[in-house]
Amino acid sequence: MRCKSLETTKAKHNKGLWSPEEDEKLRNYIMNHGHGSWSSLPINAGLKRNGKSCRLRWINYLRPGLKRGTFTIQEEETILTLHGMLGNKWSQIAQHLPGRTDNEIKNYWHSYLKKRTVEIVNFEDKKRTDTFLNNSTCEAVSSASSLNSSENTEGSLQDADQLVARRSNLPKVLFADWLSLDQFQYQEFSNSSQLTYAKETTGSNTTYQNSFPNEHSVQSNISPGSLSNDSYGNMISQAELKCEDQNMDTELLEFISEDNMCFDFGMNNLMFI
DNA sequence: AACCTAGCCAACCGCATGCTC
DNA sequence: TGAGCATGCGGTTGGCTAGGT
């Protein structure tokens, strides 16, 4: 019975690559009538495909506004950042890349970016090992007092661990267009899973509460001239790491003002997401 | 020229979820 | 409440192509 059913399905529906004629039929139908119910679309459009196949073809290939071709550096960075935050949530990642499909991003990840990430991890491991070895050498020749100092942690394995840990738990920062705090403090994104901000000013201090549904909630207390608070500090850390990643001098990182919390990398800028 | 291999990418498949009755 | 169906998502497959031997 099951075999018969499968055979019938096979006989009914084409499989494999879409022909230009099929594309044309699907495009024309959806442009004129909308897709409506995907399951009934193939019959109405005169296609020997199943609804799933039509949907996939439309979403991944025929839909207007799709961006074809190679990914830009900024798109790559966005994918890497979001993948670090979201994991294999390709559809969610795709929401941040207009014109790109989840399938395209997924393929790009598996064919290219995954390798790049491995390289970065290897780089971190090497750095960690080097740091450890350097530190061991220093320890051998230095006095015990330096070991007893809790503040003297520069170059230590603990620092290397913290660096790796910090990188894997980075705040949700994306590199995008210039935005001042005033621009995004009340910004709400279309996707409910994204960030919203609330601002509270008490005297000379301004508190920004940014909430990440189901995940982090970071509060930043920003007072004029202060660089040391929570996510604000983390933003700078992230920016420094970003410069490292791109072999850029961290001095390129330019703090503009407390009122316009923007960073200039020479090629990218920062915003919270 | 023939074969092999690796990479890319479109498409398929199975599962999860949401909706309707 | 649960069955049935439609849709969406992520993992996987398989065909095509370019480059190497």
Side-chain angles (χ1 to χ4, degrees):
Chain A
M1 292 290 275
R2 190 166 173 270
C3 290
K4 191 179 177 182
S5 161
L6 282 173
E7 279 166 13
T8 308
T9 305
K10 277 185 179 176
K12 262 189 172 178
H13 300 301
N14 289 346
K15 291 179 91 174
L17 295 180
W18 281 63
S19 69
E21 290 76 23
E22 286 177 310
D23 281 346
E24 197 59 28
K25 275 186 182 176
L26 181 59
R27 186 188 292 107
N28 285 342
Y29 182 85
I30 294 178
M31 287 300 200
N32 291 325
H33 306 94
H35 64 72
S37 164
W38 286 111
S39 56
S40 58
L41 183 146
I43 301 162
N44 297 332
L47 286 161
K48 289 176 180 172
R49 294 273 180 173
N50 63 33
K52 262 187 158 182
S53 181
C54 293
R55 177 184 160 272
L56 209 64
R57 185 63 178 171
W58 174 255
I59 288 172
N60 288 337
Y61 199 81
L62 298 174
R63 180 163 52 102
L66 286 180
K67 200 191 284 183
R68 316 295 300 180
T70 53
F71 283 74
T72 64
I73 291 171
Q74 194 149 1
E75 284 175 320
E76 280 184 16
E77 293 298 338
T78 302
I79 295 168
L80 285 169
T81 305
L82 289 172
H83 189 270
M85 289 156 42
L86 302 168
N88 294 357
K89 301 289 180 188
W90 306 115
S91 60
Q92 287 182 40
I93 294 171
Q95 287 173 13
H96 297 275
L97 294 161
R100 301 293 188 184
T101 68
D102 55 355
N103 205 35
E104 196 178 11
I105 293 166
K106 180 174 60 182
N107 284 335
Y108 191 63
W109 171 264
H110 285 302
S111 60
Y112 175 67
L113 287 181
K114 196 160 77 173
K115 288 176 207 158
R116 199 180 139 187
T117 306
V118 169
E119 282 167 11
I120 290 170
V121 169
N122 287 342
F123 171 77
E124 295 288 2
D125 286 347
K126 184 178 183 307
K127 190 172 179 178
R128 189 164 172 248
T129 305
D130 290 348
T131 304
F132 175 75
L133 291 173
N134 286 340
N135 192 52
S136 298
T137 308
C138 289
E139 279 175 5
V141 297
S142 66
S143 67
S145 62
S146 66
L147 292 173
N148 294 333
S149 167
S150 61
E151 290 183 0
N152 188 3
T153 57
E154 188 177 356
S156 69
L157 180 59
Q158 190 182 3
D159 260 9
D161 277 329
Q162 283 171 355
L163 178 69
V164 174
R166 209 172 66 187
R167 174 164 291 189
S168 58
N169 292 295
L170 287 170
K172 293 171 182 292
V173 174
L174 272 191
F175 297 85
D177 296 332
W178 279 88
L179 278 182
S180 73
L181 278 182
D182 283 341
Q183 281 176 286
F184 66 64
Q185 59 189 294
Y186 297 119
Q187 185 164 358
E188 291 192 20
F189 294 84
S190 57
N191 186 320
S192 61
S193 70
Q194 293 172 346
L195 174 69
T196 56
Y197 278 91
K199 179 186 178 185
E200 184 184 344
T201 302
T202 309
S204 60
N205 287 334
T206 301
T207 299
Y208 292 94
Q209 176 74 39
N210 44 11
S211 63
F212 301 94
N214 306 322
E215 293 195 37
H216 312 291
S217 182
V218 181
Q219 184 166 308
S220 309
N221 299 305
I222 301 169
S223 55
S226 167
L227 303 182
S228 60
N229 295 310
D230 298 339
S231 65
Y232 186 41
N234 283 337
M235 281 179 73
I236 294 172
S237 302
Q238 166 76 19
E240 288 168 348
L241 289 169
K242 173 77 177 175
C243 290
E244 271 178 38
D245 277 351
Q246 300 188 356
N247 295 320
M248 292 164 63
D249 189 336
T250 51
E251 284 183 14
L252 282 173
L253 178 68
E254 183 183 347
F255 175 66
I256 305 300
S257 76
E258 287 82 6
D259 292 328
N260 295 302
M261 206 160 81
C262 299
F263 300 90
D264 183 16
F265 302 104
M267 58 185 294
N268 286 314
N269 307 296
L270 272 178
M271 65 176 283
F272 274 101
I273 182 167

